[in-house]
Structure formats: structure tokens, C-alpha cells
């Protein structure tokens, strides 16, 4: 059915915001799962309805006209209100909430994320769940541009005013070594004799580790820099070296856990915090409820099992909001 001339639809607004934030029709089309021609037509229809140009389409990157900058502020409010309305309606009837886009770091995708999705799906019967796994900085970018609704990611920077942050887990980094490699002698001396297998510095975690080693003035030989916990732990298990990772990362590579040991870092400690983050005020109480559910699953599947294997982790491995003495 043809659109009525002069009518502004929610789809118009969504397309405009995506284009404004991506500064590109083709990138907006990728984000929306539409064709560039369809996005361009929607923008033309919106500009016709408003009787004013909103975008300088001949510029690269594309920029907003003065009218476009003014409309963008209102458009963002419209999208926030629409999302808020969907959540409020879903409280009365869970089948009303039709889509939830969740981004999660790879550390959770083995056990915690599937269980989280199963529990949420049981309560939100008509909802389609779209899961994206990726590096923390990529997930934050997609949350900011509304390509995701909620993310579970490492705390990588100061919070922004638009963020609603729910802490989930604080965990220390540990050393993972081939089974029995550190049974005798000084741990640091043992580690110096083996190559270090680094997590890639293309990701925030890798940069954190590299910066920490530099602060300790430690120059440890390394030949490998990888972007997969499974690949790293496979090499550790095979005796090719040792690595620095979190208990969550170690538990994630379940296949190799019995072929490796973890021990405290034999130098200054390093830790990270994992948060559930959403756009402030958009999803009502859904982020807080999801974070509460996630904390329970993390306590059961990650913390309890990690402490069984390495009791010395103690209070350094803690689910936020729970007593530190009880995982």
C-alpha cells in the first residue's frame, strides 16, 4: 500500500536516525536490514512530509542540515518513547514485546547466555531474540547507535549520560599455564622461561593486559597474539606457553581446562568489571531485571565453579550485589 502523502511514520523516524548516526545511506541500510534504495526513498518521503531537506546527501560523510539537526533531537525522543511504550505494554501482556537485540561478549556464550535467553523466552513468549557476540568496544558502539537494545560488556570507559549501567561481575586476571608447569619454584621465574601468549591488542582486554605489563616494567617474550580464548588455551594446554586471562575466559575454554592450571599473577593484580548496559530510561525495568537474572546465572555457572577450582580467588571474584562470601 502506498504511503499517504504528508504522513510521518515511525519507520521514517527510525530510518532518519540511523542515517544521521551512520552518516551514510548504505551503512544505515546495513544496520536496518534494508536496501539503500529503500532507505533513500524513506528519507525522501520524510523530507516531503516535513517540507524541508534534512540531509546534505552530496557530502561525504553525509551531514545534517539545520532542520535535520533540529529534527534529530525530536526523532531520538520519539524512538525512546516508542521503545518505552513497548516495554510498558509487555508488562501487561508479554506477547506484545516482539524483539529484543542483545549483545554479549564471547566470555558468556558457552553456558550463561543460552540459559539467560531460555529464561527470558519463557517469560516473553512473543519476543524474537537477536543475539550478537563481539568485542566490548563494538558492542558499545552498536548500543549507542541503537543497533542493540542491551549489552553485557567489559567496563571500558567513563559512563556517558545516555547509559544505564548495572554492574554484574568483578574478576581478577590470572595466569594460565600448562598443567604442572608451575608446581616447583618461583612462579615469576617459571613464567619468564615460557613464551607469553597474548590476547590481541585489537581488543580492549588485550590493551589492558599490555598496559599493565608495561606499568610493571615487565618485558616478557611472546610470539603469539590471538583473538580467541579457545585458540589461546589450546596452545597453553599443548605446552606452547602461558597466558593472562580472566577466570571467565578460562571457564569459557572448557575443553582445555583440565590440561592447564591457573595461578595468581606473580606481580601487581589486575581486574575488570562486567556490566549490563542499556540506553537510560528506554526499556523501563527490563535492564535491571535482566541484570539480576544474569548475576544469579554468573554466580552459579562461573563463580561457584571457579572457586571450586581455585579457592584462592576468594573475594576478588565477586558477583555485584551479592555478599562477597557467597557466590
Amino acid at each position: 500500500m502506498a504511503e499517504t502523502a504528508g504522513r510521518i511514520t515511525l519507520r521514517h523516524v527510525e530510518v532518519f536516525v540511523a542515517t544521521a548516526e551512520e552518516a551514510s545511506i548504505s551503512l544505515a541500510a546495513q544496520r536496518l536490514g534494508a536496501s539503500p534504495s529503500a532507505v533513500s526513498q524513506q528519507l525522501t518521503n520524510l523530507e516531503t512530509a516535513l517540507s524541508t531537506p534534512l540531509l546534505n546527501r552530496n557530502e561525504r560523510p553525509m551531514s545534517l542540515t539545520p532542520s535535520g539537526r533540529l529534527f534529530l533531537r525530536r526523532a531520538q525522543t520519539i524512538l525512546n518513547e516508542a521503545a518505552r511504550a513497548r516495554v510498558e505494554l509487555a508488562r501487561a501482556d508479554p506477547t506484545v514485546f516482539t524483539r529484543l537485540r542483545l549483545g554479549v561478549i564471547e566470555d558468556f556464550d558457552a553456558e550463561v547466555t543460552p540459559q539467560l535467553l531460555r529464561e527470558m523466552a519463557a517469560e516473553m513468549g512473543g519476543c524474537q531474540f537477536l543475539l550478537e557476540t563481539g568485542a566490548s568496544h563494538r558492542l558499545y558502539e552498536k548500543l549507542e547507535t541503537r543497533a542493540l537494545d542491551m549489552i553485557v560488556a567489559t567496563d571500558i570507559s567513563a559512563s556517558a549520560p545516555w547509559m544505564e549501567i548495572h554492574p554484574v561481575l568483578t574478576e581478577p586476571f590470572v595466569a594460565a599455564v600448562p598443567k604442572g608447569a608451575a608446581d616447583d619454584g618461583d612462579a615469576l621465574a617459571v613464567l619468564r622461561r615460557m613464551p607469553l601468549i597474548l590476547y590481541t591488542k585489537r581488543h580492549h582486554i588485550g590493551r589492558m593486559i599490555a598496559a599493565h605489563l608495561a606499568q610493571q616494567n615487565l618485558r616478557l617474550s611472546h610470539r603469539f597474539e590471538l583473538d580467541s580464548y579457545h585458540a589461546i588455551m589450546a596452545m597453553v594446554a599443548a605446552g606452547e606457553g602461558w597466558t593472562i586471562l580472566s577466570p571467565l575466559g578460562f571457564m569459557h575454554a572448557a575443553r582445555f581446562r583440565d590440561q592447564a592450571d591457573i595461578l595468581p599473577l606473580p606481580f601487581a593484580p589486575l581486574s575488570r568489571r562486567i556490566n549490563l548496559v542499556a540506553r537510560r530510561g528506554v526499556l523501563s525495568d527490563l535492564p535491571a531485571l535482566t541484570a539480576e537474572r544474569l548475576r544469579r546465572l554468573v554466580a552459579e555457572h562461573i563463580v561457584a565453579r571457579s572457586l571450586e577450582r581455585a579457592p584462592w580467588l576468594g573475594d576478588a571474584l565477586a558477583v555485584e550485589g551479592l555478599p562477597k562470601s557467597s557466590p
Side-chain angles (χ1 to χ4, degrees):
M1 181 181 294
E3 295 183 10
T4 303
R7 176 179 295 175
I8 300 174
T9 69
L10 188 59
R11 182 60 173 174
H12 285 148
V13 176
E14 184 180 24
V15 168
F16 169 70
V17 169
T19 307
E21 291 177 341
E22 298 290 351
S24 163
I25 287 177
S26 60
L27 292 178
Q30 292 177 23
R31 171 171 151 183
L32 296 167
S35 67
S37 60
V39 168
S40 180
Q41 186 60 56
Q42 291 277 356
L43 293 171
T44 297
N45 292 344
L46 176 61
E47 290 175 325
T48 299
L50 293 171
S51 300
T52 185
L54 302 175
L55 296 153
N56 296 308
R57 301 199 195 191
N58 294 327
E59 295 184 1
R60 296 293 181 273
M62 189 178 295
S63 66
L64 295 172
T65 66
S67 295
R69 290 193 293 272
L70 178 63
F71 186 70
L72 179 60
R73 292 196 294 271
R74 298 296 185 185
Q76 289 169 332
T77 300
I78 290 169
L79 291 185
N80 288 344
E81 286 297 324
R84 191 174 296 119
R86 285 195 294 268
V87 173
E88 290 174 356
L89 289 170
R91 288 291 169 263
D93 179 2
T95 63
V96 172
F97 202 94
T98 58
R99 184 181 66 165
L100 181 66
R101 301 165 301 174
L102 179 65
V104 181
I105 51 177
E106 69 164 322
D107 313 53
F108 284 106
D109 68 8
E111 296 179 350
V112 172
T113 300
Q115 183 62 31
L116 176 67
L117 292 176
R118 282 194 294 269
E119 292 187 11
M120 294 180 72
E123 292 184 0
M124 303 164 67
C127 185
Q128 178 187 27
F129 293 88
L130 304 177
L131 176 67
E132 179 163 339
T133 303
S136 291
H137 66 284
R138 298 295 185 200
L139 298 180
Y140 277 102
E141 289 172 1
K142 294 199 170 188
L143 178 66
E144 184 174 8
T145 60
R146 293 182 174 80
L148 293 171
D149 299 309
M150 291 190 297
I151 65 171
V152 179
T154 303
D155 191 357
I156 64 174
S157 62
S159 63
W162 57 268
M163 292 181 183
E164 176 182 339
I165 298 175
H166 300 273
V168 173
L169 175 71
T170 298
E171 60 173 350
F173 284 86
V174 298
V177 302
K179 191 75 174 178
D183 286 349
D184 301 315
D186 176 69
L188 183 56
V190 171
L191 296 183
R192 284 186 182 278
R193 293 196 295 267
M194 292 188 290
L196 173 62
I197 303 169
L198 284 172
Y199 194 76
T200 178
K201 292 190 286 291
R202 295 195 304 274
H203 293 177
H204 176 73
I205 294 299
R207 292 193 292 272
M208 277 183 64
I209 294 170
H212 188 67
L213 292 174
Q215 289 172 0
Q216 308 309 309
N217 199 28
L218 288 171
R219 293 176 174 82
L220 303 171
S221 64
H222 74 276
R223 296 178 57 197
F224 303 101
E225 186 175 318
L226 309 178
D227 68 352
S228 162
Y229 288 128
H230 281 91
I232 291 172
M233 286 303 301
M235 297 193 72
V236 171
E240 296 294 334
W242 68 286
T243 193
I244 298 173
L245 77 176
S246 69
L248 190 55
F250 181 78
M251 297 299 289
H252 176 75
R255 178 180 170 188
F256 305 103
R257 288 194 299 238
D258 292 337
Q259 300 163 265
D261 294 322
I262 56 172
L263 56 147
L265 294 180
F267 40 82
L270 175 67
S271 65
R272 68 167 177 172
R273 190 175 76 175
I274 296 173
N275 300 323
L276 184 145
V277 187
R279 296 190 68 86
R280 185 179 300 278
V282 172
L283 296 177
S284 185
D285 60 351
L286 183 60
L289 294 174
T290 304
E292 183 177 349
R293 189 190 304 270
L294 184 58
R295 293 183 190 111
R296 174 177 53 78
L297 294 173
V298 168
E300 176 184 348
H301 292 281
I302 303 298
V303 175
R305 297 179 187 180
S306 296
L307 292 177
E308 285 178 4
R309 186 180 188 103
W312 50 264
L313 286 167
D315 290 347
L317 180 62
V319 176
E320 300 291 338
L322 294 181
K324 292 197 174 189
S325 59
S326 171

